[in-house]
């Protein structure tokens, strides 16, 4: 197993508008949900495997989108002002993407064999263990970004510039991709952050798409949480 670099004794500096806070909490939540379900799945039952397959596709897509956003927007602009600053992070992205691709292929095989009525318990156990490795490496990688890259972003960019980068990230995604990311981001945050997110979405989203957002939130928040959120917004 490869060990990614992570400064355990690094200093965490609080910033007013942290760049990585919202997506990284969403990723931590998504990874934890998939890890839990992979352990609970009955690999002798197709319905149970199908549930894992559906969540896995969503989580893996979220991870891929986030890495793409960092490589093509966040890191691109930082490298323009601090050449080489993100070289190590990009290398880690490549390694994590290789591990993820292998897991995606394995999950597809598990799903297909389960749909044919086969017992895939051994493959399921292998998937769970290999995903645990990816999960741990992602946690270390995100911590490094928060400790080393986040301060550089606030050193080289104004809050207005960072906000512009966030808007560029949002505009880069298709509606269905935004829904995949937000289905993990909203549950991962407190009420205050959820309100800020939903207000921002409501202010710029066409009414049909905002209705889709509310429909997605019905799936991931409790009835009470959603009612309080909507009443606040």
């Amino acid at each position: 197993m490869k060990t990614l670099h992570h400064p355990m004794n690094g200093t965490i500096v609080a910033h007013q508008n942290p760049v990585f806070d919202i997506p990284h909490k969403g990723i931590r939540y998504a990874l934890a949900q998939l890890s839990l379900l992979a352990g609970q799945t009955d690999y002798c039952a197709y319905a149970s495997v199908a549930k894992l397959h559906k969540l896995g596709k969503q989580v893996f897509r979220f991870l891929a989108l986030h890495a793409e956003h960092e490589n093509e927007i966040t890191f691109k602009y930082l490298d323009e002002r601090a050449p080489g600053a993100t070289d190590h992070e990009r290398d880690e992205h490549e390694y994590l993407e290789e591990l993820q691709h292998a897991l995606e292929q394995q999950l597809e095989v598990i799903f297909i064999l389960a749909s044919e009525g086969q017992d895939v318990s051994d493959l399921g156990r292998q998937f769970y263990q290999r995903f645990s490795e990816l999960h741990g490496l992602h946690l270390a990688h995100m911590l490094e970004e928060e400790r080393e890259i986040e301060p550089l972003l606030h050193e080289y960019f104004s809050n207005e510039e960072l906000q512009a980068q966030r808007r560029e990230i949002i505009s880069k995604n298709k509606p269905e991709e935004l829904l995949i990311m937000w289905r993990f981001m909203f549950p991962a945050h407190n009420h205050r952050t959820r309100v800020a997110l939903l207000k921002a979405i409501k202010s710029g989203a066409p009414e049909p798409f905002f209705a889709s957002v509310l429909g997605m939130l019905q799936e991931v928040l409790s009835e009470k949480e959603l009612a309080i959120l909507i009443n606040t917004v």
Side-chain angles (χ1 to χ4, degrees):
M1 182 185 74
K2 181 175 180 178
T3 301
L4 301 186
H5 169 66
H6 55 102
M8 292 305 295
N9 296 318
T11 301
I12 299 178
V13 180
H15 296 284
Q16 186 174 3
N17 297 299
V19 172
F20 295 121
D21 187 61
I22 290 177
H24 279 189
K25 283 185 179 179
I27 289 173
R28 287 181 171 102
Y29 175 83
L31 291 168
Q33 291 300 303
L34 186 53
S35 179
L36 179 64
L37 187 59
Q40 294 175 335
T41 295
D42 180 356
Y43 293 95
C44 298
Y46 171 68
S48 185
V49 172
K51 183 179 178 182
L52 175 68
H53 179 257
K54 179 180 178 180
L55 179 62
K57 287 179 72 70
Q58 292 171 335
V59 171
F60 289 141
R61 184 60 182 144
F62 181 23
L63 294 174
L65 287 168
H66 179 67
E68 183 179 303
H69 299 157
E70 288 187 338
N71 288 339
E72 298 183 6
I73 298 176
T74 308
F75 291 174
K76 182 190 75 171
Y77 289 127
L78 181 55
D79 285 338
E80 288 175 357
R81 299 189 181 183
T86 69
D87 286 353
H88 183 68
E89 314 308 317
R90 291 178 184 275
D91 288 343
E92 290 193 347
H93 279 184
E94 289 185 10
Y95 181 68
L96 290 169
E97 287 164 8
E98 289 176 6
L99 290 180
Q100 178 178 322
H101 181 63
L103 281 167
E104 289 179 277
Q105 291 181 317
Q106 185 175 18
L107 185 57
E108 286 300 320
V109 170
I110 289 171
F111 177 68
I112 291 170
L113 294 178
S115 71
E116 297 171 351
Q118 297 191 39
D119 179 351
V120 290
S121 297
D122 289 341
L123 288 175
R125 190 177 302 107
Q126 293 173 21
F127 175 81
Y128 178 67
Q129 292 173 345
R130 295 175 70 185
F131 179 75
S132 294
E133 178 184 0
L134 181 71
H135 187 173
L137 291 173
H138 263 293
L139 294 179
H141 173 72
M142 288 187 290
L143 181 60
E144 179 180 331
E145 289 181 333
E146 292 160 1
R147 287 178 167 176
E148 297 190 1
I149 301 299
E150 182 84 43
L152 294 176
L153 293 172
H154 292 274
E155 177 182 349
Y156 285 98
F157 300 98
S158 66
N159 285 334
E160 291 74 19
E161 289 173 317
L162 293 175
Q163 287 287 358
Q165 291 179 24
R166 291 189 183 97
R167 289 192 293 270
E168 185 176 347
I169 288 172
I170 294 296
S171 66
K172 180 180 178 63
N173 294 279
K174 300 175 182 177
E176 59 269 25
E177 293 172 337
L178 293 172
L179 290 174
I180 286 176
M181 295 188 294
W182 290 339
R183 75 180 298 111
F184 298 112
M185 290 181 185
F186 271 93
H189 285 272
N190 58 36
H191 175 69
R192 185 175 65 256
T193 303
R194 291 174 183 175
V195 169
L197 278 172
L198 194 58
K199 282 184 176 180
I201 294 168
K202 186 177 182 180
S203 68
E207 188 172 332
F209 179 60
F210 187 68
S212 297
V213 173
L214 295 181
M216 175 273 294
L217 291 177
Q218 286 182 320
E219 299 176 11
V220 300
L221 298 180
S222 70
E223 184 176 343
K224 181 179 179 180
E225 287 176 319
L226 183 57
I228 294 173
L229 177 58
I230 292 175
N231 289 335
T232 306
V233 173

